[in-house]
Amino acid sequence: MSGHVYVVGLGPGDERHRTPAASDALRIARHLVGYGPYLARASVRDDQIVHASDNRQELDRARKALQLAADGEAVAVVSSGDAGVFAMAATLFEAVEQQGGTTCEITVVPGVTAMTAAAARIGAPLGHDFCAISLSDNLKPWETVLQRVRAAAEADFAMAFYNPVSKARPWQLGGVLDLLRELRAPETPVVFATAVSRPDEEIVVTTLAGAAPEMADMRTLVIVGSSATRCVPRGGEGAWVYTPRRAEAVSS
Ligand code: SAH
């Protein structure tokens, strides 16, 4: 009998942002596979078997899940946010492709991804066309990152940057901000949303002129507005940031 792999997005932090379908999958699974700190958020029961691994061992983790399922087990592969956004769902299908297919059932359970959680905390900065770019060059050349940021800026998308910095890559966000300063107005709103919906959450709203890489760490989602993104005053202090749903022709 073939088993079942559930690829589960836990949401950004706060359990209330975890979908009931994700919680169901975590309950049904006998094996939980994933990066250690994510599994720590999954409320594991004593009768469940945990296979925690390091952040870089994603393909091994996917193969392990497929092997367990081939033996008839119910397995949850756990990611933060949405499992389909810079996370394990694509890795799982890469492993399926490499082994030439599978007879196991696979269910990808969606989650609330960091960019929508971050956007909601500050208003609606992704209210019109936008794109999501990972700044990590672990899995793609740095040149490709810059090419995509440039193209997105020229098309006047708002942008959400995942993986803006890490200990090994402290310089990348600075490079992207420098590029954007050549292409976008200095007053363009920029949001640094760190650890959204977790106890250590911090949200900083600034402009492209004021944005500095030190404002981000690996728990930060950075949003850079389009030319239409604007701030409106909040009742108390600070501002909401939103992008209107109507756009002008892109100037060339
Ligand atoms: N699958 C995840 C993304 C994994 S990539 C998702 O859908 O959210 C890891 C990056 O996601 C981090 O470097 C950070 O940019 C972002 N991230 C994840 N959780 C976050 C949170 N709670 N607050 C802000 N950014 C977060």
Side-chain angles (χ1 to χ4, degrees):
M1 191 200 82
S2 275
H4 200 136
V5 180
Y6 297 87
V7 194
V8 183
L10 295 178
D14 185 337
E15 275 204 28
R16 291 171 306 164
H17 294 324
R18 182 175 305 168
T19 69
S23 297
D24 282 351
L26 292 171
R27 223 176 0 254
I28 292 164
R30 203 163 93 84
H31 296 264
L32 301 178
V33 176
Y35 176 45
Y38 298 160
L39 290 172
R41 285 173 42 206
S43 324
V44 179
R45 291 189 314 265
D46 287 349
D47 61 325
Q48 291 179 309
I49 302 159
V50 171
H51 306 266
S53 57
D54 188 68
N55 211 4
R56 296 283 181 103
Q57 297 161 349
E58 288 161 340
L59 206 49
D60 288 345
R61 204 186 288 157
R63 290 192 190 112
K64 172 87 187 170
L66 288 169
Q67 185 56 54
L68 287 164
D71 294 339
E73 301 285 347
V75 189
V77 177
V78 174
S79 284
S80 77
D82 182 307
V85 179
F86 307 124
M88 283 303 294
T91 312
L92 186 86
F93 289 107
E94 189 179 339
V96 169
E97 186 178 23
Q98 283 182 2
Q99 67 175 41
T102 180
T103 54
C104 303
E105 276 218 61
I106 300 177
T107 304
V108 182
V109 184
V112 173
T113 188
M115 73 180 168
T116 51
R121 295 292 288 120
I122 197 67
L126 306 179
H128 197 64
D129 298 342
F130 67 90
C131 65
I133 300 178
S134 169
L135 298 193
S136 169
D137 64 352
N138 283 341
L139 301 169
K140 65 186 168 197
W142 177 239
E143 269 315 303
T144 303
V145 176
L146 290 180
Q147 251 171 18
R148 290 184 177 174
V149 171
R150 177 181 290 279
E154 284 167 357
D156 202 16
F157 284 118
M159 299 175 213
F161 295 134
Y162 287 76
N163 298 307
V165 282
S166 74
K167 287 203 184 84
R169 304 174 285 101
W171 49 272
Q172 291 181 332
L173 179 60
V176 163
L177 291 172
D178 286 344
L179 172 63
L180 286 172
R181 280 191 269 263
E182 291 170 21
L183 301 165
R184 271 208 186 153
E187 61 274 15
T188 305
V190 177
V191 179
F192 289 85
T194 300
V196 175
S197 87
R198 299 182 198 156
D200 47 343
E201 174 182 286
E202 196 186 351
I203 314 269
V204 174
V205 180
T206 181
T207 59
L208 201 46
E214 305 74 56
M215 294 170 170
D217 61 31
M218 40 194 304
R219 304 161 305 152
T220 307
L221 188 286
V222 182
I223 296 177
V224 176
S226 73
S227 65
T229 305
R230 62 196 70 203
C231 296
V232 285
R234 287 198 190 216
E237 57 186 78
W240 295 106
V241 180
Y242 87 103
T243 305
R245 297 178 64 189
R246 248 175 230 97
E248 304 300 326
V250 177
S251 56
S252 52

